[in-house]
Amino acid sequence: METPLTQLNQNRLTNIIGLRLCGIFPKGNEPSIRTLREWTKLRRIPHHRLGHFVYYDPMEVAIHIRTKLKIPARG
């Protein structure tokens, strides 16, 4: 069951596995954990570090991807 973006809890942080499964990516086309780690390392997606743990706010990531990571169309 997919969760629409409007129903995601805005104050909830999740780990990298929870980010993949939270419903912000199309079902069947979720980025791999390796890709998400690379995006985190390159600071392409917002994240929060607590010690050596890394957490994500799914709403922040969804908004950031839809506004900042758009790829222009060929033409």
Side-chain angles (χ1 to χ4, degrees), residues 14-29:
T14 184
N15 61 6
I16 201 163
I17 296 170
L19 181 64
R20 279 189 80 222
L21 302 176
C22 70
I24 64 172
F25 301 109
K27 188 169 181 137
N29 289 330

